[in-house]
Amino acid sequence: MEVGLESTVDELERKLAGHANGFQRLALTPSRWQQYLLDRASQDADFRVRLLRFVDVLPTLRTPSAVADHFSQYLGGSGPAPVRTASALAGQRVLRPLLSQAVRKGVLTMAHRFIAGASPAEALPAVRHLAKHGVGHTVDLVGEATLSDAEAEAYQARYLTLLQTFAADSESIAPRGERWRGVPPINISIKCSAVCPHFEPAAPEHVSAVVAARLRPVLRQARQAGAFINFDMEQYRYKDLVQRIFGDLILEPEFADVADVGIVVQAYLKDAPDDLSRLEALARRRGVPFTVRLVKGAYWDEERIVASQNSWPVPVFEDKAETDRSFERCTDALLGAWPHLRPAFGTHNPRSLAQAIAKARAAGRGDADIEFQMLYGMAEGVRAAVAAEGYRTRVYVPVGEIIPGMAYLVRRLLENSSNQAWFHTGLGHAAPTAALQPKVEERPTQVDSGFKNASAARFFDPDVREQMLTALAKVRGSFGGSYPLLIGERRVSDRPQAEVRYPAQPETVVGQVAQASLADVDAAVASARQGFPSWRDRPAAERAAILRRAAERLEERRYELAAVMLFESGKPWREADSDVSEAIDYLRYYGQEAERYAQPKPMGAVLGEHNEYVYQARGVAVIVAPWNFPLAIISGMSTAALAAGNAAILKPAGPSPIIAYRLVEVLRAAGVPPEVVQYLPGMGEGVGRALVEHPGIDIIAFTGSTAVGQSIIAAAAEVRPGQRNVKRVIAEMGGKNAIIIDDDADLDEAIAGAVASAFGYAGQKCSACSRLVVVGSAYEEALERLRNAVASLVVGPPHDPATVVPPVINAAARDKIMRYIETGKRTSRLLVEGTIPSGAGHYVPPTVFTDVPVDSPIACEEIFGPVLAVFRAHDFDEAMEIAAASSFALTGGVFSRSPRHIELAKAKFRVGNLYINRKITGAIVGRQPFGGLAMSGTGDKAGGPDYLAQFMEPRVVTENATRRGFAPD
Ligand code: NAD
């Protein structure tokens, strides 16, 4: 920046900050109590989290004793003295209603500082008040997450009502004066995700069409009412999608001449300059300008969390000062895009404001050419100071019911109570801070476990989508190909062939696969026995290096492999992609584990004796895999065997042999000798059984149904002629998993989590939720939202990225599941049955039953399809009993905001993998080691620290180091 400009900025900043300081108390008149709590919260991070969590759960607490109970759970014991006293009072039943009333009132008053009213009509006085003081508004309708078409339509209706209500009052809500001339009297900020239940960035065409259909009436009415519509920006993964929807809509002939629209650019994003140039290009192309509101961004914490959990690069600047500098660079670009883009600046930061004003003036922009926007209930002093400079100021006014608006309130409170928010640090501060960006606390982005997961595909990126489309085309091109057996060096094709067909288009043959004979079993086992010793004797580090190389090859071919699974096993885009990521993780994780196990462990510490605990490979492993995680599971089981030094014979499931063939190709190309990894597809009852019973086999790694697992365990127990080892069986089996929704659960999250767990990949996951237990007072609302959400699920072919529920694997599976549905209709109450596409494809409608007898087949048996049974529990204890009433114990979930119930679930909900406040599918290697108990499996966790030990046998070597009474140290 030029020296002259810099000093103007400094001067302006001081002026704004100084002016603002005087206003601070006046504008934000929190009660003494609120101020006290916020002060304490800003000083004490632990109390802050507990206070905010309590505020977050409060709206769902339906009785005084629930309020009192949660108050003491969150705030009892520690925290400031008055809070401790209140918590002690909560213990006395007679005082509970009083406490509950006081707490609710306090939080409501606090909420009203940030939320202008429950409805547009209720918000009118606040908006009129702003107008009277020369301040504009932009209304944001806050509410629940949109989980269904019914909820999307309700949102659309709310936007229309808002426009209608405000239009009837447009005189009184429009600020007057020169700077407001020609400015629309009504201003609304909309969120695209509010009008589309499946806001899926991988399917921009689909989402854009759904959103456009719901927003066209809003835009039409806005034009009639003289209203400005701003498209708000949400999380980074939706950014391109929102830009795309905005572009599609404003280029439509009907709206191509509308100038009263705008969109947001978030300066905390590293991509922000690209966003601005893309939007400028859009405006130039359209020939009619629109507004860009430049903000810093409100999802900073969430962006870091999402990036960390998906192993993505962090899209936001992590250093706050960088965001401030980015805001300044974006200011230059935005002002430079005049007259195509109309600038609006959304910040409370005196320095950021000062530089925008100084640069706008230097660029010759008049006072009316730009405007400044602030948040309702915050920064009134700064706003007044900017207005005093002659600029239009506009306040972002949230409107909506307090209960659903609570998420918004918690975010605002977080900003207000974070250590660096200028609310507390004062405004004349030398290093200005952004109120919109909470403090960067010293938290690592990824907790270092020494292992890094493969990243999930960023399908929101058009280049990535393009790569997936190319891969789909490539795999389509290979349809009908033949896949031989791989026995040692031999490729064996002259065997009966089995066809693999695409579940969405059963007439399409994906490939033909040779079926192994019993003689092939003998040949493969002989070859494996021959290859085993030299593989066992190679250093673990060498084997690990080969597996890492294979992981790289999988990574390079990830979209192609995902496409194979999409056609072979009917896996939609994201599901297929995470299957590949999981496979890559297994290769790297077990390689690393093999190196760890290879270190001899000294035992005991006595003089004159050396004890070493070492592991060695067991021998030849047969890998019997299921079709539903067709790459991940077979990779996991076989690479654990290989990493530990065993030879492996892969027996894929009937429906998914092609992806297994590709895996063996990759492993061999990476350096695993052909005798050490072999491919033997065939019938389970034929080849599978022969391998299991073969005397030359030492380990059976099986994942599949409980019935088959139990028969394998029995078959392996028998010792046959020529057998030298007792066989080790590793069996991961079925599930009948339950999720509990507690009466204080956040239903936005609980319903979304239950639906994803029950219906993702049509429920064909061992971890899927097939029983939902809802506690007491949450029941009616939970069921209503569940019914609508299930009715809105997109059922379709997996090649369509919008699909959530694909067809099931084959006709036999469909018929079996349909029989369960028929039984359910006879024995229970049908809550909802989704619709399925017409034509071929093994589709099953997503179906939910209530009033399910606890001993009926749909309550007890693994259905392995999109069928969910719902139970009602009176309280949490009963919910736990219902959830535990199963012979399976694989996964389980609890949605609750009661710390006590969460602790209870941790202690007593005895499943292999318990998930709290999240979906119960999607375990990740090294983070959620996976495997079930009871009839769900033998319990050792895949992707966990004990897994590899099952493929090895330990030996102990003891050496007497004493010679003639003397031993070295
Ligand atoms: P499945 O039991 O029918 O088949 C699994 C494998 O066993 C296949 O390769 C099959 O050919 C083979 N097989 C069948 N009969 C055999 C026999 N007598 N001897 C040897 N092998 C035989 O299971 P599936 O339909 O492929 O997969 C779905 C099942 O897998 C579900 O029950 C699901 O819960 C379970 N599963 C469990 C996990 C887990 O980690 N616990 C993971 C995925 C799937």
Side-chain angles (χ1 to χ4, degrees):
M1 202 185 292
E2 285 167 32
V3 183
L5 191 58
E6 186 69 64
S7 64
T8 317
V9 172
D10 284 349
E11 201 179 307
L12 251 173
E13 181 192 351
R14 268 195 301 278
K15 196 165 152 200
L16 294 178
H19 196 75
N21 261 340
F23 267 81
Q24 190 183 4
R25 288 276 155 191
L26 259 185
L28 301 167
T29 43
S31 71
R32 217 163 49 82
W33 247 101
Q34 286 174 7
Q35 187 62 57
Y36 173 77
L37 284 181
L38 287 174
D39 283 345
R40 289 301 304 230
S42 72
Q43 288 153 18
D44 176 347
D46 174 56
F47 177 65
R48 178 164 76 237
V49 169
R50 288 186 291 126
L51 179 67
L52 290 178
R53 288 191 169 179
F54 174 68
V55 170
D56 176 53
V57 69
L58 184 65
T60 50
L61 304 179
R62 296 167 180 96
T63 61
S65 57
V67 174
D69 184 27
H70 283 72
F71 190 86
S72 45
Q73 285 191 60
Y74 279 100
L75 301 167
S78 58
V83 173
R84 288 204 306 276
T85 312
S87 160
L89 295 181
Q92 301 183 27
R93 188 171 290 273
V94 283
L95 295 177
R96 284 181 188 170
L98 266 179
L99 177 80
S100 161
Q101 225 179 0
V103 167
R104 273 188 199 282
K105 193 159 170 270
V107 172
L108 271 177
T109 342
M110 190 127 69
H112 278 298
R113 284 174 55 207
F114 301 104
I115 300 178
S119 65
E122 257 186 47
L124 272 176
V127 175
R128 275 194 211 114
H129 179 79
L130 291 172
K132 224 167 86 194
H133 291 84
V135 186
H137 63 269
T138 180
V139 170
D140 166 34
L141 288 182
V142 293
E144 286 163 341
T146 296
L147 304 179
S148 62
D149 287 315
E151 291 174 7
E153 270 149 30
Y155 241 112
Q156 181 204 40
R158 286 177 70 201
Y159 284 131
L160 293 172
T161 309
L162 169 65
L163 281 165
Q164 215 173 21
T165 314
F166 274 36
D169 229 319
S170 65
E171 282 294 301
S172 73
I173 57 172
R176 314 240 162 256
E178 196 47 39
R179 63 178 86 150
W180 291 99
R181 189 182 301 278
V183 175
I186 303 169
N187 192 306
I188 295 181
S189 288
I190 57 167
K191 285 198 173 49
C192 294
S193 67
V195 291
C196 178
H198 295 292
F199 205 60
E200 172 52 76
E205 288 82 10
H206 167 85
V207 175
S208 181
V210 171
V211 173
R214 295 217 167 98
L215 288 186
R216 274 186 211 107
V218 175
L219 288 176
R220 275 179 207 131
Q221 194 165 322
R223 189 204 284 260
Q224 260 179 15
F228 183 102
I229 302 288
N230 189 73
F231 286 62
D232 272 1
M233 217 19 103
E234 303 177 52
Q235 291 88 341
Y236 177 69
R237 58 193 182 279
Y238 303 129
K239 174 178 65 82
D240 287 5
L241 183 59
V242 173
Q243 284 181 14
R244 153 98 194 234
I245 295 167
F246 177 74
D248 286 354
L249 261 171
I250 67 165
L251 288 175
E252 286 185 6
E254 187 184 354
F255 306 114
D257 62 342
V258 178
D260 295 331
V261 285
I263 189 165
V264 173
V265 168
Q266 297 156 316
Y268 66 3
L269 293 181
K270 295 169 187 167
D271 288 0
D274 299 340
D275 294 331
L276 278 166
S277 27
R278 204 177 313 149
L279 291 171
E280 183 182 348
L282 171 66
R284 282 176 185 272
R285 191 170 142 212
R286 187 166 90 126
V288 176
F290 56 81
T291 299
V292 166
R293 177 201 297 156
L294 180 64
V295 301
K296 290 188 182 166
Y299 300 88
W300 186 83
D301 269 310
E302 188 182 337
E303 296 298 1
R304 295 176 77 234
I305 291 168
V306 169
S308 162
Q309 294 190 352
N310 287 285
S311 305
W312 288 338
V314 180
V316 295
F317 293 112
E318 296 192 73
D319 174 9
K320 221 210 78 42
E322 264 302 318
T323 294
D324 290 343
R325 283 195 287 277
S326 165
F327 191 88
E328 300 196 3
R329 287 192 299 273
C330 291
T331 301
D332 297 332
L334 182 52
L335 290 169
W338 182 271
H340 309 288
L341 299 181
R342 302 264 163 85
F345 296 95
T347 172
H348 302 154
N349 179 298
R351 158 83 200 187
S352 305
L353 290 162
Q355 61 90 36
I357 293 173
K359 286 173 179 172
R361 285 178 184 157
R365 295 282 68 76
D367 295 354
D369 293 342
I370 59 176
E371 70 174 44
F372 291 89
Q373 305 188 358
M374 323 258 164
L375 295 173
Y376 182 72
M378 292 173 67
E380 175 55 18
V382 185
R383 193 211 54 72
V386 172
E389 287 296 311
Y391 290 101
R392 249 183 359 250
T393 57
R394 185 181 295 288
V395 166
Y396 191 88
V397 185
V399 171
E401 293 288 347
I402 297 294
I403 291 187
M406 222 55 175
Y408 179 87
L409 174 63
V410 168
R411 186 130 42 88
R412 288 286 90 88
L413 288 176
L414 254 177
E415 287 158 9
N416 269 325
S417 64
S418 93
N419 290 351
Q420 277 194 3
W422 63 267
F423 180 84
H424 286 280
T425 50
L427 295 170
H429 208 253
T433 58
L436 282 185
Q437 187 166 297
K439 172 178 157 40
V440 183
E441 279 163 15
E442 295 305 318
R443 286 170 297 181
T445 312
Q446 179 124 20
V447 179
D448 188 13
S449 62
F451 174 73
K452 189 152 171 25
N453 295 103
S455 52
R458 295 158 26 113
F459 284 127
F460 52 81
D461 179 342
D463 289 345
V464 173
R465 288 199 298 278
E466 200 47 52
Q467 289 183 60
M468 182 69 185
L469 289 170
T470 311
L472 288 173
K474 184 171 172 199
V475 172
R476 271 183 199 279
S478 72
F479 277 178
S482 296
Y483 300 85
L485 315 177
L486 300 172
I487 302 177
E489 301 277 2
R490 288 189 300 133
R491 299 167 61 84
V492 182
S493 306
D494 56 343
R495 294 286 181 276
Q497 304 284 310
E499 280 178 348
V500 172
R501 291 167 180 267
Y502 181 26
Q505 290 158 4
E507 68 285 1
T508 305
V509 176
V510 179
Q512 331 248 5
V513 182
Q515 301 291 290
S517 66
L518 297 186
D520 294 325
V521 170
D522 287 335
V525 174
S527 168
R529 294 233 68 88
Q530 199 200 343
F532 163 60
S534 57
W535 179 249
R536 174 195 59 201
D537 295 341
R538 283 167 83 159
E542 255 179 50
R543 295 194 300 265
I546 290 174
L547 295 183
R548 286 191 191 108
R549 214 157 39 231
E552 266 160 45
R553 282 170 198 251
L554 292 186
E555 191 118 56
E556 284 156 22
R557 295 170 65 183
R558 64 176 306 142
Y559 300 111
E560 194 189 328
L561 296 167
V564 170
M565 283 186 274
L566 187 150
F567 289 119
E568 187 176 49
S569 296
K571 286 213 136 180
W573 284 39
R574 275 183 199 288
E575 305 277 355
D577 175 70
S578 28
D579 212 303
V580 183
S581 289
E582 190 178 336
I584 296 169
D585 284 350
Y586 281 129
L587 265 63
R588 295 190 176 135
Y589 185 81
Y590 291 140
Q592 183 176 309
E593 283 291 285
E595 290 173 321
R596 181 169 71 84
Y597 276 99
Q599 303 302 321
K601 289 173 196 48
M603 306 295 293
V606 294
L607 295 176
E609 179 182 284
H610 292 165
N611 299 299
E612 249 183 22
Y613 195 98
V614 293
Y615 290 93
Q616 69 177 19
R618 284 178 175 269
V620 176
V622 53
I623 311 298
V624 185
W627 51 266
N628 68 327
F629 283 91
L631 181 59
I633 291 183
I634 202 163
S635 299
M637 294 193 292
S638 49
T639 58
L642 294 171
N646 304 284
I649 300 171
L650 278 64
K651 208 303 281 171
S656 60
I658 299 176
I659 191 70
Y661 177 87
R662 300 284 179 102
L663 171 69
V664 174
E665 262 185 346
V666 166
L667 289 169
R668 288 180 166 199
V672 182
E675 318 77 57
V676 173
V677 62
Q678 305 184 73
Y679 172 69
L680 223 54
M683 293 283 288
E685 274 301 333
V687 175
R689 179 160 287 278
L691 280 165
V692 163
E693 292 179 354
H694 202 286
I697 294 293
D698 303 290
I699 307 171
I700 300 155
F702 166 81
T703 305
S705 62
T706 300
V708 173
Q710 285 172 347
S711 78
I712 287 179
I713 292 168
E718 191 179 323
V719 177
R720 295 176 174 81
Q723 186 173 328
R724 286 157 305 172
N725 269 330
V726 174
K727 290 177 185 169
R728 163 58 70 100
V729 183
I730 299 150
E732 301 297 333
M733 303 183 286
K736 184 73 188 174
N737 313 299
I739 289 180
I740 297 175
I741 298 185
D742 203 356
D743 56 4
D744 65 354
D746 178 341
L747 289 184
D748 278 358
E749 286 182 4
I751 299 300
V755 168
S757 307
F759 300 104
Y761 191 35
Q764 302 172 106
K765 298 182 188 181
C766 52
S767 53
C769 169
S770 57
R771 297 182 297 141
L772 184 66
V773 190
V774 186
V775 177
S777 58
Y779 191 77
E780 308 297 339
E781 191 185 342
L783 251 64
E784 171 71 8
R785 297 196 72 189
L786 175 68
R787 183 163 53 106
N788 289 330
V790 173
S792 313
L793 283 169
V794 184
V795 184
H799 61 255
D800 181 346
T803 291
V804 179
V805 184
V808 298
I809 189 74
N810 53 31
R814 183 198 52 210
D815 296 346
K816 184 173 157 210
I817 301 164
M818 290 309 295
R819 282 197 295 277
Y820 274 109
I821 292 179
E822 290 316 313
T823 309
K825 284 179 181 170
R826 282 197 309 277
T827 56
S828 309
R829 193 169 74 80
L830 180 68
L831 179 73
V832 55
E833 186 171 16
T835 42
I836 57 173
S838 54
H842 310 302
Y843 292 102
V844 174
T847 306
V848 183
F849 292 105
T850 61
D851 300 345
V852 181
V854 285
D855 54 355
S856 67
I858 54 168
C860 304
E861 293 169 19
E862 185 183 42
I863 301 175
F864 224 57
V867 182
L868 179 66
V870 183
F871 304 86
R872 181 178 198 152
H874 292 104
D875 54 26
F876 192 74
D877 289 334
E878 194 193 355
M880 293 265 290
E881 268 170 40
I882 298 173
S886 172
S887 53
F888 297 102
L890 187 48
T891 64
V894 173
F895 285 90
S896 174
R897 284 181 286 188
S898 158
R900 193 177 53 245
H901 289 173
I902 291 174
E903 285 312 312
L904 198 66
K906 283 183 188 168
K908 305 232 163 107
F909 197 165
R910 298 177 203 280
V911 288
N913 285 68
L914 177 65
Y915 296 93
I916 291 160
N917 290 325
R918 55 152 282 177
K919 64 177 181 167
I920 63 171
T921 52
I924 289 180
V925 174
R927 272 166 58 196
Q928 291 101 22
F930 186 80
L933 318 174
M935 289 303 153
S936 291
T938 45
D940 290 283
K941 302 272 181 231
D946 302 328
Y947 192 71
L948 216 64
Q950 303 175 99
F951 293 82
M952 296 184 282
E953 43 203 5
R955 286 165 46 216
V956 174
V957 178
T958 299
E959 183 183 353
N960 175 9
T962 313
R963 301 267 164 93
R964 300 201 177 276
F966 169 79
D969 286 341

